[in-house]
Amino acid sequence: MIKENHYVASTILVKDEDGRYVFLVKEEKEGYSFPASIVEPEKTGLACVIKRLKEIVNIEIENLELNELTNAIVADDRIPLFVFTYENETFESPKNLLKDDSDLSWVNSENIISTLEDWKISGVPQFLFI
């Protein structure tokens, strides 16, 4: 049985114009958060994440590679965090991958360290070494 209002979150790592990886995040008043969605009945967490990503980014979902699945703890709730990498054949600026009405942005890891601390990522996330 799935707990009511059980969330899953995700982020995508893409290379920016300087060849550095940047994270897909949502800007909040006090920092950043990762795009999240409620797990729907009869769907897996991964299916819910993919559905949400299709709504917020202009990418070919088939080109996403699951880099890591880890757990985050936010306000005492465990939230699975799916971390994808996206490599496309023709380089596009990460800004071009966002839909026009998106409230999301791309930031490098130095800018989201506090978010990673707030989310209390379990284990040693491998995506930090990319």
Side-chain angles (χ1 to χ4, degrees), residues 23 25 32 34 107-117:
F23 288 80
V25 296
Y32 300 97
F34 296 112
V107 298
N108 59 42
S109 60
E110 295 88 32
N111 293 344
I112 63 164
I113 294 299
S114 63
T115 299
L116 295 173
E117 291 169 354

Side-chain angles (χ1 to χ4, degrees), residues 67-82:
N67 182 270
E68 185 165 352
L69 170 59
T70 189
N71 279 309
I73 300 173
V74 181
D76 295 326
D77 290 321
R78 290 190 178 278
I79 300 175
L81 174 62
F82 291 84

Side-chain angles (χ1 to χ4, degrees), residues 28-42:
E28 303 283 351
K29 289 181 184 177
E30 298 179 11
Y32 300 97
S33 67
F34 296 112
S37 60
I38 295 176
V39 177
E40 298 175 30
E42 309 296 323

Side-chain angles (χ1 to χ4, degrees), residues 60-73:
E60 295 179 32
I61 295 297
E62 300 81 28
N63 290 348
L64 281 179
E65 183 176 317
L66 181 59
N67 182 270
E68 185 165 352
L69 170 59
T70 189
N71 279 309
I73 300 173

